Amino acid sequence: MGDMSNIRNIVILTGAGVSAESGIDTFRSAGGLWENHRVEDVATPEAFARDPDLVLRFYDARREAIQTKAPNPAHDALARLDAGWGGKLLLVTQNVDDLHERAGSRRLIHMHGEHLSVWCTFCDARHRWRDPLLDRPPCPNCGSPALRPDIVWFGEMPYRMDEIYAALREADLFVSIGTSGAVYPAAGFVQSARELGARTLELNLEPSQGSYLFHECRHGPAGEVVPEWVEELLGG
Ligand code: BJW
């Protein structure tokens, strides 16, 4: 990966491809999650207002499913990097599963929310949550039946953007793993990182639509290319 001796601060962006080998569907590939659902029918605030049962059923099923899945060697490697890297490191995930934290990653931001969190639209509280929402359970804080998935839908602001851009400003290396680069603002991080002086690397199964924006690309399954890259970085 060229000269790595000057790398101290790292920002890593992950997407659905990092969890694919754990058996969690990606969004846009053939056979992907959204082949059976139109995005605008399930992943917008308008869809939730129009047909809350449809949206809640969709998320109840996925919340249940992720609890039966386990981290794969890509998650494990990123957790080893977090534990072993002396410089700054921030793992920004677009994923709403909890496999990074179950693998042991600590310096982690879920920019698109989490399946295992709910948000009360009445009192604004958030709670850890594993059960279905379809039967409208009361908010543990205010008692209102107003819980929704704590997921960032289209048109909503992703979480903790100030912290993410602050980390990008300090980054010497930006690495994008298993994401198609189709959804903004995450898809724009590579350009921001480059403009701010970072080296940029893509690890993905195949070239993404933004591959040309990276200094270097490595293609292959995350469960193989991520551990290889992490060992290189920790060993070097
Ligand atoms: C492997 C692999 C293996 C497979 N190993 N790799 C025009 C221009 C710019 C922006 C916009 C625009 N029009 C609208 C917007 C904004 C919009 C947007 O980007 N839309 C695009 C469709 C154009 N963005 C937003 O609305 C965001 N908010 C925002 O911009 O706020 C500002 C604002 C506020 C108010 C008004 C206006 C602006 C919010 C985006 C929220 C995204 N949420 C979702 C859904 C969550 C719900 C759910 O989970 O159901 O998050 S979208 C969905 O896509 C999910 C993901 O996190 C996200 C990214 O997908 P990802 O991870 O890249 O998955 P895939 O499937 O696309 O790719 C997988 C990749 O892995 C592939 O490349 C495979 O090859 C690879 N792969 N197996 C390695 N084994």
Side-chain angles (χ1 to χ4, degrees), residues 5-22:
S5 56
N6 295 325
I7 292 170
R8 182 143 185 84
N9 301 332
I10 306 175
V11 175
I12 301 162
L13 173 71
T14 62
V18 90
S19 293
E21 289 154 74
S22 294

Side-chain angles (χ1 to χ4, degrees), residues 16 21 27-28 59 62 94 112 152 155-156 179-180 184 204 222:
E21 289 154 74
F27 292 94
R28 290 171 187 82
Y59 285 99
R62 290 172 58 208
Q94 299 169 86
H112 290 164
V152 178
E156 297 182 325
T179 174
S180 63
Y184 288 83
N204 205 52

Side-chain angles (χ1 to χ4, degrees), residues 14-18 20-21 26-29 33-34 39 42-43 58-59 62 94-96 112 115 151-158 177-185 203-208 220-223 225:
T14 62
V18 90
E21 289 154 74
T26 62
F27 292 94
R28 290 171 187 82
S29 46
L33 189 58
W34 285 352
V39 181
V42 289
F58 178 71
Y59 285 99
R62 290 172 58 208
Q94 299 169 86
N95 296 344
V96 293
H112 290 164
H115 275 313
I151 301 280
V152 178
W153 286 324
F154 286 106
E156 297 182 325
M157 193 56 79
I177 307 176
T179 174
S180 63
V183 175
Y184 288 83
L203 305 176
N204 205 52
L205 187 59
E206 58 202 5
S208 73
V225 295

Side-chain angles (χ1 to χ4, degrees), residues 4-11 78-90 107 172-173 230 232-236:
M4 294 193 293
S5 56
N6 295 325
I7 292 170
R8 182 143 185 84
N9 301 332
I10 306 175
V11 175
L78 292 173
R80 279 200 302 283
L81 182 62
D82 188 359
W85 190 253
K88 289 190 179 173
L89 179 147
L90 181 63
R107 294 178 273 181
D172 306 307
L173 174 64
V230 166
E232 219 174 277
L233 208 53
L234 287 177

Side-chain angles (χ1 to χ4, degrees), residues 123-136:
C123 75
D124 205 33
R126 286 180 164 79
H127 300 277
R128 303 313 295 169
W129 200 269
R130 293 186 173 274
D131 301 323
L133 293 179
L134 186 61
D135 53 357
R136 308 299 196 280

Side-chain angles (χ1 to χ4, degrees), residues 32-70:
L33 189 58
W34 285 352
E35 277 205 338
N36 303 319
H37 289 274
R38 297 191 326 141
V39 181
E40 54 273 28
D41 287 341
V42 289
T44 65
E46 294 77 17
F48 185 54
R50 190 168 55 235
D51 192 348
D53 281 11
L54 173 82
V55 174
L56 292 177
R57 240 184 250 113
F58 178 71
Y59 285 99
D60 282 355
R62 290 172 58 208
R63 190 181 312 103
E64 191 181 343
I66 63 150
Q67 298 183 59
T68 69
K69 311 296 183 191

